[in-house]
Each structure stands twice: as structure tokens, then as C-alpha cells.
Amino acid sequence: NYSVGIEVANQSGSTGVLDSGSEVSYSGMGVAFEYEYHPKEKKWAAGLKAGMATGDDKTTTDEYEGFVFDRNYDVAMILFNHAVGQLNVLHTEVNGTQFGGGTLSPLQDPDVEAISNVTYLAPYMRYKWSDRWTLHGVLATGTIDQSELANGSETDNDLGYELDLSLSFTPNERVTWHNTVGWFMPGKAFEGGSNDFSTGTVFGIMSRAAISF
């Protein structure tokens, strides 16, 4: 009637790179937890994705304390998946997200964000409407670990909330068509503290299909 999963990863060691004569080292940790309750003979299921990843302390240059999840691990459609905002509050530049002059370039790298520098929580529900149609809803939120930004300013730790609603169509066991609408309401972390950037709701639509042979 239920499933539980947990994964803990730790990285430590030396990079072999020198910074002002000191060798740069690694020290980061990530935890991912999943739980789902799916009672037999029922059309609904409920679950939770939660976890944390340490963030890099921008005040130290001889140690990288951050931990970055694999980009393919998704908790929400927009948050931790697509680059949003003008500052790198998740500290994921090592993952390929490009920054210059304190601003982000999401037009060149729209799908490179990942889970890092955050404690996240994402409860969800799923309802199998019929043999072919399934509804899925997710509410995701999180707080950042290290509030120091690359430009030296401090920001708030509230990432805000995201609500995703999905509808899946499975005409047979080989074909699945998945459609998602997402609303992300940014928290004060994206205002950048003294930078005082304005924030607004992010809206996204995604449609994808999978065919197995």
C-alpha cells in the first residue's frame, strides 16, 4: 500500500586546484526522501518528495561546500528545473547555468537548473480518473541554505511556492501524453536583498509524449 525511498550522498576531498596557494576542497551533502501511499483497489494516491542540499558559502574561496542534484531529478516543473530570476540564489553555476554581471541568461540556458543550496518540500496527489486519464497535482516550496550571493549581497531564504496541475492520457500501454500547467509564486529570495529586484508570478505550460516500442 505504500513505498518509501531515501538516498544520502556526501562529497569530500580535494579538487587539485589552488586558490591563493591553498588547495580547494569539496565538502557537501545531499538527501532525497520519497514517500507514496497508494492503497490497493483505490483510484487515488498521495505522496511527498522532500530533501536538502548544502549550498556553497560564497565567503570562502578554498572550499566548495555545495551539493548539486542531478538535473534529471525533478520536484516541480519550474522550480529547481528552469532558471528564473536575475540572481543565482541556488548557487548552481557549476552545473552550467551562466551568469554575467550579476544577471542570469535563461534564454541561452533555459533548462539547466538543479536542486542545490536548498531544503525543499513537495507533497502531491494523483487520481486515476479512468483507465486512460490521470490527474496529478504538486505543491512545492523551499528555503535556501546559504543566503550570500555571488555579488556579495545577502538575500532572504524564502523561495516561494509552486503549484503544478497535470493531466495524462494513456490510450494504450505503449503511448503516454502528459500535459502540465505550472504557477510559480517567487519568494523574497528572488528580490536579492539590497538589490531590490521586483518579482512576479511565473506561468508555464509543458506538453510531452512518450512512445515505447
Side-chain angles (χ1 to χ4, degrees):
N1 290 325
Y2 67 94
S3 58
V4 179
I6 186 169
E7 184 172 347
V8 180
N10 180 70
Q11 62 181 22
S12 62
S14 175
T15 64
V17 177
L18 294 179
D19 178 71
S20 300
S22 300
E23 192 168 18
V24 180
S25 61
Y26 280 120
S27 63
M29 188 179 79
V31 179
F33 172 79
E34 293 187 9
Y35 172 83
E36 183 176 287
Y37 178 58
H38 41 252
K40 296 178 180 179
E41 309 302 329
K42 299 292 184 179
K43 293 185 176 182
W44 60 272
L48 172 71
K49 288 186 177 182
M52 61 80 65
T54 56
D56 180 36
D57 184 355
K58 298 300 181 182
T59 63
T60 62
T61 59
D62 61 349
E63 185 176 14
Y64 181 77
E65 302 91 347
F67 186 92
V68 184
F69 278 34
D70 190 286
R71 279 169 43 191
N72 290 324
Y73 185 71
D74 293 334
V75 170
M77 188 185 81
I78 301 172
L79 192 59
F80 315 124
N81 193 24
H82 294 279
V84 294
Q86 299 202 45
L87 293 171
N88 186 15
V89 297
L90 297 181
H91 297 185
T92 50
E93 54 267 74
V94 296
N95 206 47
T97 308
Q98 300 298 312
F99 291 81
T103 60
L104 182 64
S105 58
L107 294 180
Q108 288 77 24
D109 301 292
D111 189 17
V112 295
E113 197 59 284
I115 296 173
S116 182
N117 190 36
V118 68
T119 298
Y120 67 90
L121 190 70
Y124 65 87
M125 291 195 69
R126 185 175 63 251
Y127 180 74
K128 192 172 181 58
W129 189 4
S130 68
D131 291 338
R132 296 186 176 184
W133 296 94
T134 303
L135 296 171
H136 190 202
V138 179
L139 178 64
T141 187
T143 59
I144 59 176
D145 177 34
Q146 297 287 338
S147 58
E148 181 84 13
L149 299 174
N151 62 6
S153 63
E154 291 272 346
T155 188
D156 195 271
N157 63 357
D158 178 24
L159 285 178
Y161 296 88
E162 178 175 341
L163 176 64
D164 297 336
L165 299 176
S166 303
L167 178 63
S168 297
F169 176 60
T170 309
N172 55 64
E173 61 181 9
R174 296 181 178 272
V175 178
T176 300
W177 183 29
H178 191 74
N179 301 276
T180 304
V181 177
W183 293 269
F184 174 45
M185 295 147 281
K188 289 187 176 182
F190 291 94
E191 295 177 2
S194 59
N195 293 289
D196 197 25
F197 290 116
S198 62
T199 58
T201 301
V202 180
F203 173 75
I205 300 175
M206 179 176 65
S207 182
R208 54 186 174 174
I211 303 174
S212 60
F213 298 95

